Amino acid sequence: MKKGELLYEGKAKKMYATDDPDFLIQEFKDDATAFNGKKKGTIKNKGIVNNKISAFIFEFLESYHIPTHFEKMLSDREMLVKKLNIIPVEVVMRNIATGSLVKRYGLEEGKELEYPVLEFYLKNDALDDPMINEHHAVAFGLATPGEMETISRYGTKINAILKSFFIRRKVRLVDFKLEFGRFKDRIVLGDEISPDTCRFWDLDTGEKLDKDRFRQDLGEIEKAYQEILGRVLHTGE
Ligand code: ADP
Ligand code: UDP
Protein backbone atom coordinates (compact mmCIF):
# COMPACT_ATOMS: atom_id res chain seq x y z
CA MET A 1 0.00 0.00 0.00
CA LYS A 2 1.55 3.34 -1.08
CA LYS A 3 1.63 6.25 1.39
CA GLY A 4 -0.06 9.18 -0.30
CA GLU A 5 -0.68 12.77 0.73
CA LEU A 6 -1.06 13.95 4.30
CA LEU A 7 -4.81 14.45 4.70
CA TYR A 8 -4.91 15.58 8.32
CA GLU A 9 -2.48 16.29 11.13
CA GLY A 10 -4.04 16.13 14.59
CA LYS A 11 -2.61 16.47 18.06
CA ALA A 12 -1.42 12.86 18.32
CA LYS A 13 -1.61 11.37 14.84
CA LYS A 14 -1.22 12.04 11.13
CA MET A 15 -3.62 10.53 8.61
CA TYR A 16 -2.33 9.78 5.09
CA ALA A 17 -4.16 8.75 1.94
CA THR A 18 -3.22 5.48 0.25
CA ASP A 19 -3.67 4.29 -3.34
CA ASP A 20 -6.94 2.66 -2.22
CA PRO A 21 -9.68 5.22 -1.38
CA ASP A 22 -11.09 2.87 1.30
CA PHE A 23 -7.91 2.88 3.39
CA LEU A 24 -5.72 5.36 5.28
CA ILE A 25 -2.38 5.17 7.01
CA GLN A 26 -2.62 6.27 10.64
CA GLU A 27 0.76 7.46 11.93
CA PHE A 28 1.29 7.91 15.68
CA LYS A 29 3.39 10.89 16.84
CA ASP A 30 5.29 11.46 20.09
CA ASP A 31 3.52 14.81 20.60
CA ALA A 32 1.39 15.03 23.72
CA THR A 33 -1.25 17.61 24.53
CA ALA A 34 -3.63 18.05 27.43
CA PHE A 35 -6.36 20.44 28.52
CA ASN A 36 -7.58 20.84 24.95
CA GLY A 37 -4.13 21.65 23.59
CA LYS A 38 -3.22 24.24 26.24
CA LYS A 39 -0.42 22.01 27.58
CA LYS A 40 2.06 20.68 25.03
CA GLY A 41 5.03 18.34 25.16
CA THR A 42 6.51 15.16 23.79
CA ILE A 43 6.71 11.70 25.28
CA LYS A 44 9.65 9.75 23.82
CA ASN A 45 8.52 6.74 21.76
CA LYS A 46 4.86 7.31 22.69
CA GLY A 47 3.89 6.92 19.03
CA ILE A 48 5.49 3.50 18.81
CA VAL A 49 3.97 2.30 22.08
CA ASN A 50 0.47 3.60 21.27
CA ASN A 51 0.58 2.04 17.79
CA LYS A 52 1.47 -1.36 19.26
CA ILE A 53 -1.06 -1.17 22.10
CA SER A 54 -3.87 -0.03 19.79
CA ALA A 55 -3.09 -2.73 17.22
CA PHE A 56 -3.14 -5.46 19.85
CA ILE A 57 -6.39 -4.22 21.40
CA PHE A 58 -8.15 -3.78 18.04
CA GLU A 59 -7.26 -7.36 17.06
CA PHE A 60 -8.42 -8.60 20.45
CA LEU A 61 -11.77 -6.76 20.09
CA GLU A 62 -12.20 -8.17 16.55
CA SER A 63 -11.98 -11.64 18.09
CA TYR A 64 -15.10 -10.66 20.09
CA HIS A 65 -16.85 -9.50 16.89
CA ILE A 66 -16.40 -5.76 17.44
CA PRO A 67 -15.77 -4.23 13.99
CA THR A 68 -12.68 -1.99 14.10
CA HIS A 69 -10.87 0.11 11.50
CA PHE A 70 -7.62 -1.85 12.06
CA GLU A 71 -6.30 -3.72 9.03
CA LYS A 72 -2.62 -4.31 9.73
CA MET A 73 0.53 -2.91 11.26
CA LEU A 74 2.78 -1.27 8.63
CA SER A 75 5.72 -0.11 10.74
CA ASP A 76 6.59 0.90 14.31
CA ARG A 77 4.46 4.04 14.07
CA GLU A 78 2.02 3.23 11.27
CA MET A 79 -1.08 1.12 10.88
CA LEU A 80 -3.31 0.63 7.87
CA VAL A 81 -6.93 1.48 8.73
CA LYS A 82 -10.27 1.61 6.97
CA LYS A 83 -11.20 5.18 6.00
CA LEU A 84 -14.16 6.05 8.20
CA ASN A 85 -16.67 8.82 8.04
CA ILE A 86 -16.05 9.78 11.67
CA ILE A 87 -19.08 10.58 13.83
CA PRO A 88 -18.00 13.68 15.81
CA VAL A 89 -19.07 12.24 19.16
CA GLU A 90 -16.58 11.06 21.78
CA VAL A 91 -17.86 8.08 23.71
CA VAL A 92 -16.53 7.89 27.27
CA MET A 93 -16.98 4.78 29.42
CA ARG A 94 -16.31 5.02 33.15
CA ASN A 95 -15.88 2.27 35.76
CA ILE A 96 -14.31 4.21 38.61
CA ALA A 97 -15.08 7.71 39.89
CA THR A 98 -12.38 10.27 39.18
CA GLY A 99 -11.95 13.61 37.39
CA SER A 100 -15.17 15.32 36.37
CA LEU A 101 -17.32 12.58 37.94
CA VAL A 102 -15.92 13.52 41.35
CA LYS A 103 -16.04 17.26 40.67
CA ARG A 104 -19.53 17.34 39.13
CA TYR A 105 -21.37 14.79 41.25
CA GLY A 106 -19.38 14.81 44.50
CA LEU A 107 -18.49 11.11 44.31
CA GLU A 108 -15.63 9.68 46.31
CA GLU A 109 -12.35 9.59 44.34
CA GLY A 110 -11.45 6.04 43.27
CA LYS A 111 -14.85 4.54 44.10
CA GLU A 112 -15.88 1.63 41.88
CA LEU A 113 -19.22 2.54 40.24
CA GLU A 114 -22.19 0.19 40.74
CA TYR A 115 -22.61 0.07 36.97
CA PRO A 116 -20.48 1.46 34.10
CA VAL A 117 -21.36 5.00 32.98
CA LEU A 118 -21.56 5.84 29.29
CA GLU A 119 -21.20 9.50 28.29
CA PHE A 120 -21.15 11.38 25.00
CA TYR A 121 -19.18 14.54 24.21
CA LEU A 122 -19.38 16.64 21.08
CA LYS A 123 -16.00 16.46 19.32
CA ASN A 124 -15.37 20.19 18.97
CA ASP A 125 -12.13 21.70 20.28
CA ALA A 126 -13.40 25.29 19.84
CA LEU A 127 -16.28 24.52 22.24
CA ASP A 128 -14.09 22.42 24.59
CA ASP A 129 -15.95 19.16 23.77
CA PRO A 130 -19.25 19.86 25.61
CA MET A 131 -21.16 16.91 27.05
CA ILE A 132 -24.22 15.87 25.03
CA ASN A 133 -26.68 12.97 25.09
CA GLU A 134 -27.96 10.73 22.30
CA HIS A 135 -30.91 13.06 21.66
CA HIS A 136 -28.54 15.98 20.94
CA ALA A 137 -26.52 13.76 18.59
CA VAL A 138 -29.66 12.81 16.64
CA ALA A 139 -31.17 16.34 16.74
CA PHE A 140 -27.92 17.86 15.44
CA GLY A 141 -27.90 15.35 12.57
CA LEU A 142 -24.67 13.69 13.69
CA ALA A 143 -26.07 10.14 13.78
CA THR A 144 -29.36 8.28 13.48
CA PRO A 145 -31.13 6.81 16.54
CA GLY A 146 -30.14 3.32 15.29
CA GLU A 147 -26.49 4.36 14.98
CA MET A 148 -26.47 5.80 18.52
CA GLU A 149 -27.97 2.55 19.79
CA THR A 150 -25.25 0.53 18.04
CA ILE A 151 -22.55 2.85 19.38
CA SER A 152 -23.90 2.49 22.94
CA ARG A 153 -24.06 -1.30 22.60
CA TYR A 154 -20.49 -1.49 21.28
CA GLY A 155 -19.25 0.92 23.98
CA THR A 156 -20.74 -1.21 26.75
CA LYS A 157 -19.45 -4.44 25.22
CA ILE A 158 -15.94 -3.06 24.63
CA ASN A 159 -15.85 -1.91 28.25
CA ALA A 160 -16.78 -5.36 29.56
CA ILE A 161 -14.19 -7.05 27.32
CA LEU A 162 -11.38 -4.62 28.14
CA LYS A 163 -12.12 -4.45 31.88
CA SER A 164 -11.44 -8.15 32.28
CA PHE A 165 -8.55 -8.04 29.76
CA PHE A 166 -6.81 -5.46 31.97
CA ILE A 167 -7.71 -7.08 35.29
CA ARG A 168 -5.87 -10.21 34.10
CA ARG A 169 -2.89 -7.88 33.61
CA LYS A 170 -3.24 -6.37 37.11
CA VAL A 171 -4.55 -3.05 35.75
CA ARG A 172 -7.79 -1.28 36.61
CA LEU A 173 -9.47 0.24 33.55
CA VAL A 174 -10.76 3.45 35.18
CA ASP A 175 -12.24 5.17 32.12
CA PHE A 176 -11.56 5.60 28.41
CA LYS A 177 -12.68 7.33 25.22
CA LEU A 178 -13.81 5.76 21.94
CA GLU A 179 -14.55 7.16 18.49
CA PHE A 180 -16.75 5.50 15.92
CA GLY A 181 -17.37 6.10 12.25
CA ARG A 182 -19.17 4.69 9.23
CA PHE A 183 -17.59 2.34 6.74
CA LYS A 184 -19.93 1.33 3.94
CA ASP A 185 -22.90 2.18 6.21
CA ARG A 186 -21.71 0.04 9.10
CA ILE A 187 -20.61 1.41 12.48
CA VAL A 188 -16.91 0.71 13.04
CA LEU A 189 -14.59 1.54 15.96
CA GLY A 190 -11.83 3.97 14.91
CA ASP A 191 -9.03 6.15 16.29
CA GLU A 192 -6.88 4.56 19.05
CA ILE A 193 -7.06 2.80 22.40
CA SER A 194 -3.93 3.62 24.38
CA PRO A 195 -2.65 5.27 27.56
CA ASP A 196 -3.45 8.58 25.80
CA THR A 197 -7.16 7.75 25.75
CA CYS A 198 -7.60 5.52 28.82
CA ARG A 199 -6.97 5.88 32.53
CA PHE A 200 -5.07 2.86 33.85
CA TRP A 201 -4.31 2.31 37.55
CA ASP A 202 -2.05 -0.46 38.80
CA LEU A 203 -4.29 -2.95 40.60
CA ASP A 204 -1.97 -3.42 43.59
CA THR A 205 -0.43 0.03 44.11
CA GLY A 206 -2.95 2.37 42.46
CA GLU A 207 -0.08 3.94 40.50
CA LYS A 208 -1.25 5.90 37.44
CA LEU A 209 -0.01 4.34 34.19
CA ASP A 210 -1.46 6.74 31.59
CA LYS A 211 -1.56 10.31 30.28
CA ASP A 212 -2.54 11.66 33.71
CA ARG A 213 1.21 11.42 34.47
CA PHE A 214 1.71 14.06 31.76
CA ARG A 215 -1.38 16.09 32.69
CA GLN A 216 -0.37 16.21 36.36
CA ASP A 217 3.45 16.35 35.91
CA LEU A 218 3.97 13.09 37.78
CA GLY A 219 7.17 12.15 35.89
CA GLU A 220 8.27 8.75 34.52
CA ILE A 221 5.71 9.02 31.74
CA GLU A 222 7.66 6.96 29.20
CA LYS A 223 8.15 4.20 31.75
CA ALA A 224 4.42 4.06 32.49
CA TYR A 225 3.55 3.76 28.77
CA GLN A 226 6.17 0.98 28.36
CA GLU A 227 4.76 -0.79 31.41
CA ILE A 228 1.27 -0.84 29.87
CA LEU A 229 2.67 -2.13 26.57
CA GLY A 230 4.49 -4.92 28.40
CA ARG A 231 1.36 -5.92 30.31
CA VAL A 232 -0.85 -5.77 27.20
CA LEU A 233 1.49 -8.15 25.38
CA HIS A 234 1.97 -10.56 28.31
CA THR A 235 -0.58 -11.50 30.93
CA GLY A 236 2.15 -12.60 33.32
CA GLU A 237 0.14 -15.75 34.02
P1 ADP B 1 -7.26 15.27 17.11
O1 ADP B 1 -7.99 15.45 15.82
O2 ADP B 1 -8.19 15.26 18.28
O3 ADP B 1 -6.11 16.21 17.30
P2 ADP B 1 -5.59 12.93 16.46
O4 ADP B 1 -4.27 13.60 16.44
O5 ADP B 1 -5.69 11.63 17.16
O6 ADP B 1 -6.73 13.78 17.14
O7 ADP B 1 -6.05 12.80 14.96
C1 ADP B 1 -6.64 11.70 14.39
C2 ADP B 1 -7.89 12.15 13.66
O8 ADP B 1 -8.30 11.14 12.74
C3 ADP B 1 -9.07 12.36 14.61
O9 ADP B 1 -9.75 13.52 14.23
C4 ADP B 1 -9.94 11.11 14.41
O10 ADP B 1 -11.30 11.39 14.60
C5 ADP B 1 -9.64 10.77 12.97
N1 ADP B 1 -9.75 9.33 12.66
C6 ADP B 1 -9.44 8.27 13.46
N2 ADP B 1 -9.60 7.11 12.82
C7 ADP B 1 -10.04 7.40 11.56
C8 ADP B 1 -10.40 6.62 10.43
N3 ADP B 1 -10.31 5.30 10.45
N4 ADP B 1 -10.83 7.27 9.32
C9 ADP B 1 -10.90 8.63 9.30
N5 ADP B 1 -10.57 9.41 10.33
C10 ADP B 1 -10.13 8.82 11.46
N1 UDP C 1 -10.45 11.24 26.88
C1 UDP C 1 -9.70 11.27 25.70
N2 UDP C 1 -9.80 12.35 24.87
C2 UDP C 1 -10.61 13.39 25.12
C3 UDP C 1 -11.38 13.37 26.30
C4 UDP C 1 -11.27 12.29 27.15
O1 UDP C 1 -8.98 10.32 25.43
O2 UDP C 1 -10.67 14.34 24.32
C5 UDP C 1 -10.35 10.09 27.79
C6 UDP C 1 -9.43 10.41 28.97
O3 UDP C 1 -8.11 9.94 28.75
C7 UDP C 1 -10.08 9.63 30.10
C8 UDP C 1 -11.57 9.62 29.74
O4 UDP C 1 -11.62 9.84 28.34
O5 UDP C 1 -9.61 8.29 30.10
C9 UDP C 1 -12.37 10.68 30.49
O6 UDP C 1 -11.77 11.90 30.20
P1 UDP C 1 -12.34 13.34 30.68
O7 UDP C 1 -11.52 14.41 30.04
O8 UDP C 1 -13.80 13.38 30.53
O9 UDP C 1 -11.92 13.25 32.15
P2 UDP C 1 -12.46 13.95 33.44
O10 UDP C 1 -13.43 14.96 33.00
O11 UDP C 1 -13.02 12.82 34.18
O12 UDP C 1 -11.23 14.51 34.07
Side-chain angles (χ1 to χ4, degrees):
M1 196 69 69
K2 239 182 73 199
K3 194 168 183 175
E5 65 165 313
L6 175 66
L7 297 177
Y8 176 80
E9 175 159 6
K11 298 186 288 286
K13 299 187 285 300
K14 291 182 188 174
M15 310 301 281
Y16 291 89
T18 68
D19 42 19
D20 186 329
D22 281 343
F23 297 96
L24 297 178
I25 291 171
Q26 173 162 269
E27 185 188 306
F28 290 76
K29 310 193 288 181
D30 286 349
D31 298 348
T33 63
F35 313 116
N36 196 9
K38 288 190 270 294
K39 178 173 178 155
K40 288 192 177 74
T42 56
I43 301 170
K44 201 168 156 246
N45 294 329
K46 173 172 82 80
I48 298 173
V49 171
N50 285 358
N51 187 31
K52 291 183 180 168
I53 293 173
S54 292
F56 191 98
I57 292 178
F58 284 136
E59 281 198 324
F60 185 71
L61 291 173
E62 290 275 359
S63 77
Y64 285 86
H65 310 291
I66 301 285
T68 81
H69 70 161
F70 180 72
E71 287 290 313
K72 64 174 176 179
M73 202 74 151
L74 295 173
S75 72
D76 267 4
R77 290 180 184 274
E78 297 165 313
M79 58 167 69
L80 184 68
V81 298
K82 296 179 189 79
K83 181 178 184 162
L84 305 186
N85 172 217
I86 289 283
I87 295 170
V89 172
E90 297 192 340
V91 180
V92 171
M93 297 294 316
R94 301 180 187 267
N95 298 305
I96 294 169
T98 190
S100 59
L101 223 48
V102 169
K103 225 188 281 169
R104 197 179 292 140
Y105 304 107
L107 300 182
E108 183 194 331
E109 170 75 21
K111 191 176 158 32
E112 183 98 28
L113 300 166
E114 299 285 334
Y115 200 81
V117 169
L118 186 159
E119 296 173 344
F120 298 114
Y121 293 87
L122 182 65
K123 201 172 144 61
N124 184 323
D125 283 346
L127 296 176
D128 247 338
D129 295 351
M131 191 193 251
I132 56 169
N133 64 33
E134 56 269 51
H135 300 279
H136 291 100
V138 171
F140 301 166
L142 308 177
T144 65
E147 286 174 333
M148 291 309 289
E149 205 181 302
T150 303
I151 288 171
S152 303
R153 188 160 41 79
Y154 284 156
T156 304
K157 186 171 167 185
I158 292 165
N159 182 48
I161 296 165
L162 292 186
K163 226 173 107 172
S164 47
F165 172 89
F166 279 104
I167 281 294
R168 291 197 291 282
R169 288 156 174 82
K170 300 268 185 286
V171 173
R172 296 174 86 192
L173 177 59
V174 175
D175 52 34
F176 60 101
K177 184 264 303 178
L178 301 169
E179 289 184 31
F180 294 90
R182 303 178 190 92
F183 185 72
K184 302 184 192 300
D185 292 330
R186 287 196 60 200
I187 294 291
V188 172
L189 176 65
D191 209 55
E192 68 180 292
I193 298 184
S194 73
D196 269 13
T197 63
C198 304
R199 283 194 175 107
F200 296 124
W201 293 353
D202 181 87
L203 183 63
D204 297 324
T205 64
E207 191 189 359
K208 293 182 163 110
L209 298 170
D210 57 60
K211 202 164 98 175
D212 272 353
R213 299 200 74 84
F214 171 75
R215 293 186 187 100
Q216 300 167 13
D217 293 318
L218 298 178
E220 303 199 308
I221 310 171
E222 260 177 80
K223 196 173 145 215
Y225 276 61
Q226 290 287 351
E227 178 66 28
I228 290 294
L229 174 61
R231 294 205 204 173
V232 162
L233 300 180
H234 311 283
T235 54
E237 278 165 8

